[in-house]
Structure formats: C-alpha cells, structure tokens
Amino acid sequence: MKFRIGIIAITFLLVWNTGFSQTKKTDSLDIKIGQMIMLGIGKDTQIRSDNKILADIKAQKLGGVLIYEKNITKLNSVANLKKLIATLKKDAELPLLVSIDEEGGKVNRLKQKYGFPKTVSAKYLGEINDVDTTKYYSDIIAHNLLDLGINVNYAPVLDVDNPDNPPIGKNHRAFSKNPQDIIKHARQVVASHRYFNVKTVVKHFPGHGNSRQDSHFNVTDVSKYWQQQEVFPYIKLLYEGNVDAIMTAHIVNEKLDDSKLPATLSKKIMTDYLRGDLGFDGVIFSDDMQMKAIADQFGFEKSIQMAIHAGVDVLMFSNHIPMKGRDMILPQDIIDIVKKMVKDGEISEKRIDESYQRILKFKKNL
C-alpha cells in the first residue's frame, strides 16, 4: 500500500511539474510582466470578491503581494490575517508570493500587541553572538510566517552595522560590523526559514550599512564610505548555496559604477557585478520603487525601464503613495508601461523571459 501511494505521489509530481513548465511557454506578455510585480494591497484587512488585486491574481497578472501592519486588524488579528492571506492565495494558478519585512526588533509588522510572538533585533542577536539564540528567535519568526501563509521574508539584513547609519544602524537592523559574524547569524536565519519552507531575501546589495542618509527620503551616496568587505557576506552565502534571493539597495556607489546610478538601476552592479562576477542567477528583488531616492529622481516609468535593464526581476511597489488620483497602483498600470517599452524596442521580450523563468523557478517548491 505504501509503495502504491508513493508511485501515485511521484506520478502526480511529475505531471504537475511537466505541466507547470510546458504551459508557461505560451503565457502572454501580460502574465510574464505581471509575475515580475510585487504590490502592497493598500489598507485592506479583508478581501472582498470584487477586489481588483484579487482579480489580477486570478488572471496571473500579479506575482506577489506585500503585507504591512496596516493589513492587521486590532482585534482577532491572527485569525483575520490568516483569512486575508488564504483568500489572496486561494485561486492563484501560479503560486502567489506573500511577502513581509519581518526582521525582528523595530522592523516587525507582527507585533506582540496583535497576539504574535516576541521578536528581537539583529543587533541584539549579534551582541549575544550565540547561534543557538539566533536559531531560537529565527525559528519562531519562520514558524509564525508558515502558520500565517506568508512564504517570503525580506530578511536577513547583510549590511554592516554602523551606529550612525539612519535606516540600518540606528534601527538595530544589522548583526555586526564584522562580516564573519554577519555570515554566521544570517546563515542560521536562512536555515530556520528554509526548514519551515519560507523563502528569504537577503538585503541590501551591495551594502547600505555605511550610508549617511536614508534612501527612503534622499539620494544616498556611499562612495566615500563603502568598503569591499561589505559584499563578503553575499559572496560567502552564495558560495554555500544559502541565498534564495537578493534585494537591491537604492544607493549610489561610484566604486562599483562611476555613472552614479543607484544600484537598483545600475546594470554594472546588478548584471555585470552580481550576476557576472559573483555568479548569482537567482531572483533579484528591487527595494520599494516608490522610495524617494528612486521615485523623485527618475520618475515612475523611467525607473521601471532602468531597473529591468539593470537586471531586476521583481519590481516592488509598496502602494504607500497614491497613483494617478487613485488610492493605489494596480498591476495593469505597470504591465501597460512595460508592454509599450517592449513594443517600442526599449526592452526586449527576451529580457522579460529571463526574469519570468527565474521567478517560476523561485516559486516552484512553494
């Protein structure tokens, strides 16, 4: 009986995986671009059947969503969030990426006041410097995400710790100033998440820890402060096979690209350096494309074009800022922009296909 069940299971997996790859060959450009989009869902704490984002998920025109604290109800928080996520995922033909920034400490959407477990900061773990403690808290976070139905966590942070850094150091988001300690603790965070089948996105490449400004609000140039050792954690974890995906930094680094383009929009950094020199062929996530370091300097359409050219696979839009008089950006807004660029020869369909295939591979075991 066990042998028979095993044969059935293997046959099902072979058929499913074959179908998964074959059907994707004929997918429309809308679907391919849609899978490259990651959107915040606004302020919704429940999803109605006529929700526009839900319709785009069903049509495969949206690859993933972001969960923020504003999507959590004050009462019955855990059950309501699980229901919201289950509703979003229910009719997705391609697995939906449901993502969150759950680093622990100050970057923590799932707070104790809503009934979620206690978390601690990366700096706290780095100062204790005990991998068992890191495992304990990472297991708690990863198990909690699995229970909720969240399958992507934007963590761990691989940036070096600098107490004077506004977005990272002052918020205790980095493990250590020592790359070896960062590697040690980040490795465990990834292992804990993998055990519970939650993907991790290490960040912020090629290093945001020594910046003197916050890219949420300003163009941020790290050229004078960035050190080569800031990429050591990426190199080591890549070599070990411990990187599921990487998030870009909206930082200018003339040591890697003298054109002064932010890393998110830099082909020299994302494709030539990260993919070429370091050999990374996984999924590259942008940091939020609505952050002012990108949005104010390059504009909505141009930044999308430049990010895709640079080598970014998943374009993230938090939806914290209204779009064209509406409450939020919708997938079709971005799809139409990219399709026009393909039609006009500004972006090749081959380039879209490259990202699409990486995303399908990333989603395959969810």
Side-chain angles (χ1 to χ4, degrees), residues 309-320:
H309 271 307
V312 171
D313 299 303
V314 176
L315 300 163
M316 181 195 300
F317 299 87
S318 63
N319 258 327
H320 292 328

Side-chain angles (χ1 to χ4, degrees), residues 105-227:
K106 291 185 178 181
V107 181
N108 170 32
R109 318 298 186 201
L110 308 174
K111 294 179 171 58
Q112 281 185 282
K113 67 181 180 181
Y114 301 120
F116 296 106
K118 176 186 176 181
T119 67
V120 297
S121 70
K123 186 176 181 68
Y124 172 88
L125 295 172
E127 287 177 343
I128 290 178
N129 205 17
D130 174 67
V131 174
D132 287 341
T133 303
T134 300
K135 181 180 186 303
Y136 173 79
Y137 283 107
S138 298
D139 283 352
I140 287 173
I141 288 176
H143 179 266
N144 191 36
L145 298 183
L146 173 68
D147 183 58
L148 289 167
I150 295 171
N151 50 29
V152 178
N153 190 7
Y154 300 117
V157 168
L158 301 189
D159 297 319
V160 297
D161 184 39
N162 181 329
D164 296 325
N165 171 282
I168 310 296
K170 289 185 177 180
N171 287 307
H172 300 168
R173 298 172 65 191
F175 292 110
S176 173
K177 65 181 180 182
N178 182 343
Q180 295 303 322
D181 287 337
I182 296 170
I183 292 164
K184 177 172 63 178
H185 294 287
R187 182 190 292 125
Q188 180 55 60
V189 173
V190 172
S192 292
H193 282 70
R194 284 182 171 178
Y195 181 84
F196 291 102
N197 200 30
V198 178
K199 301 280 190 180
T200 52
V201 183
V202 296
K203 59 188 184 184
H204 306 81
F205 188 84
H208 205 318
N210 277 320
S211 68
R212 299 301 192 266
Q213 292 178 300
D214 189 338
S215 55
H216 289 85
F217 309 110
N218 308 100
V219 175
T220 303
D221 192 331
V222 300
S223 304
K224 294 179 181 178
Y225 315 109
W226 184 86
Q227 300 173 14

Side-chain angles (χ1 to χ4, degrees), residues 28-31 33-34 37 39 52-53 55-57 59-62 300 304 319 323-324 326 328-340:
S28 70
L29 189 55
D30 282 53
I31 290 174
I33 298 166
I37 301 169
L39 284 187
K52 291 181 179 179
I53 284 183
D56 283 317
I57 291 169
Q60 303 178 65
K61 292 184 179 181
L62 180 59
F300 188 67
I304 290 172
N319 258 327
M323 169 72 177
K324 296 179 181 178
R326 287 192 268 106
M328 59 195 301
I329 298 168
L330 293 173
Q332 201 65 47
D333 297 322
I334 301 159
I335 290 170
D336 288 344
I337 287 169
V338 179
K339 277 179 71 177
K340 185 177 185 304

Side-chain angles (χ1 to χ4, degrees), residues 17-69:
N17 283 332
T18 302
F20 188 86
S21 60
Q22 286 181 346
T23 56
K24 298 311 115 190
K25 291 179 182 177
T26 57
D27 277 344
S28 70
L29 189 55
D30 282 53
I31 290 174
K32 291 175 182 180
I33 298 166
Q35 290 299 303
M36 295 173 66
I37 301 169
M38 178 74 71
L39 284 187
I41 61 172
K43 298 178 181 179
D44 288 341
T45 55
Q46 59 181 339
I47 302 296
R48 294 166 34 132
S49 59
D50 61 350
N51 185 283
K52 291 181 179 179
I53 284 183
L54 184 62
D56 283 317
I57 291 169
K58 290 179 179 179
Q60 303 178 65
K61 292 184 179 181
L62 180 59
V65 297
L66 295 114
I67 300 298
Y68 289 98
E69 187 173 349

Side-chain angles (χ1 to χ4, degrees), residues 12-22 364-365:
F12 171 78
L13 286 171
L14 287 172
V15 170
W16 189 86
N17 283 332
T18 302
F20 188 86
S21 60
Q22 286 181 346
K364 196 167 184 179
N365 297 320

Side-chain angles (χ1 to χ4, degrees), residues 263 266-280 284 307-312 351 358:
S266 167
K267 188 173 184 291
K268 283 187 178 180
I269 295 176
M270 290 298 124
T271 295
D272 298 345
Y273 184 51
L274 177 55
R275 294 210 188 281
D277 294 345
L278 302 188
F280 180 63
I284 297 176
I308 294 173
H309 271 307
V312 171
R351 172 66 195 85
R358 290 190 192 103

